[in-house]
Amino acid sequence: MEFDGPLPIDAPTDYAELLESTAVERGRAQLAYTLRWVGEDGTKTDGEGNVIAPGWATAPDGWATFNASFAPELAGAICADLLMYVLAAAGDAGMRRTLRQLLDPVTEAVETTDDEGQTQTLRRLAGSLADAIS
């Protein structure tokens, strides 16, 4: 995915669009939507909600800022929150089902990436998921 310029903080809301989207597109949309939801786009407002200064998301390098600074940490926080919810709501069996769902895309990514660093990271992740499931 090559994006540049400002980061549009939106998410697909059309069901057909959502079904046709890729995992990467859905992930980007979920992160961007979460940023908007929690108000972390860097916009400065006064006490009454009026915009004083636009945030980093609307800057010319919004995508670069997002990818380097916000996406990794936000994705980790969202995943942790989701996993803790599943553990609390569905217990150990639910957690194993969730991890099983993660294993297939991770394994597929290992087989399709050309980046050796990514391959090693994905292999370690796949191994950890397999250990946790068994």
Side-chain angles (χ1 to χ4, degrees):
M1 285 181 15
E2 295 294 323
F3 296 105
D4 57 16
L7 171 70
I9 298 187
D10 58 5
T13 55
D14 180 79
Y15 185 68
E17 212 178 288
L18 184 63
L19 289 178
E20 294 172 4
S21 64
T22 66
V24 171
E25 292 166 336
R26 289 188 303 274
R28 186 214 57 92
Q30 289 174 35
L31 290 174
Y33 186 75
T34 300
L35 282 173
R36 169 172 279 171
W37 178 55
V38 300
E40 290 294 331
D41 65 353
T43 300
K44 305 287 187 240
T45 59
D46 62 18
E48 297 175 8
N50 299 309
V51 175
I52 297 170
W56 60 264
T58 57
D61 65 346
W63 273 107
T65 301
F66 175 71
N67 289 335
S69 303
F70 294 97
E73 291 177 9
L74 185 58
I78 291 170
C79 289
D81 290 348
L82 291 171
L83 290 172
M84 292 304 97
Y85 170 77
V86 168
L87 183 61
D92 187 52
M95 180 64 81
R96 283 195 308 277
R97 284 180 43 212
T98 300
L99 297 177
R100 257 187 241 108
Q101 287 296 115
L102 286 170
L103 186 56
D104 287 340
V106 168
T107 302
E108 184 178 314
V110 168
E111 296 166 359
T112 60
T113 188
D114 294 330
D115 182 303
E116 186 58 33
Q118 287 181 5
T119 299
Q120 292 303 316
T121 300
L122 290 167
R123 280 191 180 133
R124 286 192 297 272
L125 178 56
S128 295
L129 288 170
D131 287 347
I133 293 167
S134 60

